[in-house]
Amino acid sequence: MYNQKVIDEFRNPQNAHEMPDADCVGEVGGPECGDIMRVYLKIKDGVVTDASFLTFGCASAIATSSVATRLVKGKTIAEALKVTNKQVVQELGELPAQKYHCSVLAEEAIKDAIDNYYKQHPELKQ
């Protein structure tokens, strides 16, 4: 069902930890399979300097969270907002069709975190 990249990301996820000093947190859930993703971001001078996640869900949910947090590190906020679920899937090689929603959740969690950042810092919104 899963290719080797997905299995590797699931077994050895990067950035899988809570970030108590995060500048913002995004959380999304998927009622269709019960996945919950929480993404933590550190932002300095408009750049995502660090990203981590806690995901409660299936192998695809964990793998996509791992990839998404890697994709946004070092990007400006505007660039991070442009990271798409398609990019996440491309990094993984592919996902089974019934698990594609996990990549959508990863994208939405990043956007939710940034939205929450702007709610805390409305003067920075561009």
Side-chain angles (χ1 to χ4, degrees):
M1 179 162 146
Y2 293 117
N3 68 35
Q4 194 59 47
K5 277 186 166 183
V6 175
I7 293 168
D8 291 344
E9 286 290 342
F10 168 68
R11 287 185 177 157
N12 301 297
Q14 296 180 30
N15 311 311
H17 59 87
E18 187 174 9
M19 188 186 300
D21 62 342
D23 293 308
C24 55
V25 180
E27 186 173 313
V28 295
E32 60 277 351
C33 73
D35 298 320
I36 298 172
M37 292 182 184
R38 185 175 295 148
V39 171
Y40 303 85
L41 301 178
K42 283 292 281 178
I43 298 173
K44 182 172 182 175
D45 298 326
V47 175
V48 178
T49 59
D50 200 7
S52 68
F53 73 93
L54 288 180
T55 294
F56 306 96
C58 65
S60 295
I62 292 167
T64 58
S65 299
S66 179
V67 168
T69 55
R70 272 203 321 275
L71 288 175
V72 298
K73 277 188 183 181
K75 293 196 177 342
T76 65
I77 294 172
E79 291 168 336
L81 284 169
K82 291 179 183 174
V83 169
T84 67
N85 67 304
K86 290 178 184 171
Q87 288 174 288
V88 172
V89 171
Q90 186 176 15
E91 285 289 317
L92 287 169
E94 192 50 58
L95 281 177
Q98 68 271 27
K99 296 296 184 176
Y100 198 76
H101 68 276
C102 293
S103 66
V104 174
L105 289 175
E107 176 185 341
E108 289 174 351
I110 298 291
K111 289 181 177 171
D112 187 55
I114 293 170
D115 185 50
N116 289 332
Y117 178 76
Y118 282 136
K119 285 177 184 172
Q120 296 168 9
H121 305 282
E123 73 281 3
L124 299 176
K125 191 167 186 175
Q126 300 173 358

